[in-house]
Amino acid sequence: MCYDDLFFLLTQKKSLSLHYCSSTAFFTTIIMKIGIDLGGTNIRVGLVEDSKIIRKELMPCPSTDKAEIVLQAISTLVSHLIIPGVSSIGIGVPSLVDSVRGIVYNATNIPSWQEVHIKDYLEKHFDIPVQVNNDANCFALGEQRFGCGNKCRSLVGITLGTGVGSGLILNGELHSGRNTGAGEIGELPYMGGHNFEYWCSSVFFEREYGISGKDAAQAAANGGSKALDIWGVYGRHVGNLVKAVLFAYDPEMVVFGGGISSAYKYFAPSMLAELATFPYPSSLLNLKIETSKLKDVAILGASAL
């Protein structure tokens, strides 16, 4: 390899690692990307190298400030991590997104983000490609690329928390729709003129029983019979949610994330009992249900956009 060839390689937007084998030098390409998980509470940014987060930054989201202040906060965190060789930036946001133009609309818990052209903003600041998508889609993509669904061609990721979000992997690829809203099962009508989110989010516990999901989990861990009954009711609602997933997509795997998923062992029995009434038993035989074990899955998923 001549000097001019070496100089050309080292000045491209790739990070190259030099290795030696006997007396011959050769290069391997290291893929580096930045993933951003934007929430109403925190902004988390990670530098991802070959599927691993090697550096991470976090700060509270200034969610009540002007849109520009939130953008500046994101930009500041990215600037702390970006280095020569980073090939792209991906960001997951709690809202519907025009993923082609990278425009965020009506972000949940960030009132000033009614229409934010975040792709243009970040590309102007850092001069590398930027991809934008919904946060639940990033969760599903993270599980399929890096987590328990890495061998699945079809997967539905469901986040159970203050809301119910979901993302789709179909034929091995993220299917987000034109506005990243495809697969939002939580918004489907269900029971009493409401939707699945009404019955399967953390609001269910406060509204129906006057207890937080966290406290209900602690009470169940202590053997409280009333708490276990609450989780039994909750599990039946989640079972019907999974039935809707099966009718719509018939995936290989459903993977749960979000805060409530940590209490899976308390609602799983009644969820599975409800699923046993599904009219197509063969779908159940081939279905895997998992909970996310992957740390920072949203950052990893965003980096893979």
Side-chain angles (χ1 to χ4, degrees):
M1 179 181 291
C2 69
Y3 176 79
D4 288 342
D5 291 335
L6 179 61
F7 179 78
F8 173 79
L9 284 170
L10 293 175
T11 53
Q12 299 310 294
K13 285 191 175 181
K14 290 183 179 179
S15 177
L16 297 173
S17 178
L18 185 61
H19 299 268
Y20 290 92
C21 180
S22 300
S23 59
T24 304
F26 63 93
F27 292 90
T28 59
T29 301
I30 298 174
I31 300 173
M32 291 194 296
K33 300 181 177 183
I34 283 180
I36 305 169
D37 177 24
L38 174 64
T41 302
N42 292 309
I43 306 169
R44 301 184 304 136
V45 181
L47 175 62
V48 180
E49 178 182 294
D50 287 344
S51 305
K52 295 181 180 179
I53 298 174
I54 58 173
R55 289 181 58 201
K56 186 170 65 174
E57 298 254 342
L58 177 147
M59 70 178 295
C61 179
S63 55
T64 59
D65 287 330
K66 295 180 179 178
E68 181 70 18
I69 300 299
V70 181
L71 285 168
Q72 289 173 1
I74 295 169
S75 180
T76 297
L77 290 179
V78 172
S79 67
H80 291 169
L81 296 180
I82 199 163
I83 58 176
V86 170
S87 62
S88 64
I89 296 171
I91 178 168
V93 296
S95 68
L96 293 182
V97 175
D98 181 333
S99 59
V100 175
R101 296 188 293 166
I103 303 172
V104 178
Y105 297 103
N106 310 114
T108 303
N109 297 322
I110 309 177
S112 63
W113 276 44
Q114 298 303 301
E115 182 179 325
V116 176
H117 296 239
I118 191 168
K119 177 180 171 71
D120 289 346
Y121 179 90
L122 291 176
E123 288 185 343
K124 179 179 178 181
H125 275 70
F126 299 106
D127 193 30
I128 57 176
V130 174
Q131 300 295 325
V132 190
N133 214 299
N134 171 266
D135 54 358
N137 290 340
C138 290
F139 167 72
L141 184 61
E143 286 296 337
Q144 191 257 350
R145 295 288 177 85
F146 310 106
C148 60
N150 63 354
K151 295 181 180 179
C152 291
R153 296 280 297 167
S154 61
L155 175 152
V156 176
I158 301 175
T159 56
L160 301 173
T162 54
V164 174
S166 54
L168 302 178
I169 303 295
L170 301 177
N171 298 317
E173 300 293 333
L174 177 65
H175 180 74
S176 54
R178 180 61 178 80
N179 298 294
T180 72
E184 288 293 350
I185 298 294
E187 297 300 325
L188 290 179
Y190 169 66
M191 196 168 153
H194 302 293
N195 58 16
F196 279 109
E197 185 170 83
Y198 183 89
W199 295 102
C200 298
S201 68
S202 61
V203 178
F204 162 81
F205 298 94
E206 294 278 3
R207 185 189 65 244
E208 300 294 318
Y209 299 101
I211 188 173
S212 69
K214 182 178 179 180
D215 288 343
Q218 184 59 57
N222 294 333
S225 59
K226 182 178 179 180
L228 291 169
D229 288 343
I230 291 171
W231 285 108
V233 174
Y234 177 79
R236 287 193 288 276
H237 294 311
V238 176
N240 282 310
L241 174 68
V242 177
K243 281 184 185 178
V245 168
L246 291 172
F247 280 124
Y249 307 110
D250 191 20
E252 297 170 62
M253 178 179 288
V254 171
V255 55
F256 289 112
I260 298 177
S261 67
S262 63
Y264 179 75
K265 63 182 178 181
Y266 302 124
F267 68 82
S270 58
M271 177 195 74
L272 295 173
E274 185 62 43
L275 276 176
T277 66
F278 190 68
Y280 306 128
S282 59
S283 295
L284 297 177
L285 290 175
N286 297 314
L287 176 67
K288 298 182 181 69
I289 300 178
E290 302 284 351
T291 58
S292 177
K293 306 296 191 300
L294 187 61
K295 187 177 181 181
D296 297 316
V297 58
I299 292 176
L300 288 167
S303 77
L305 289 172

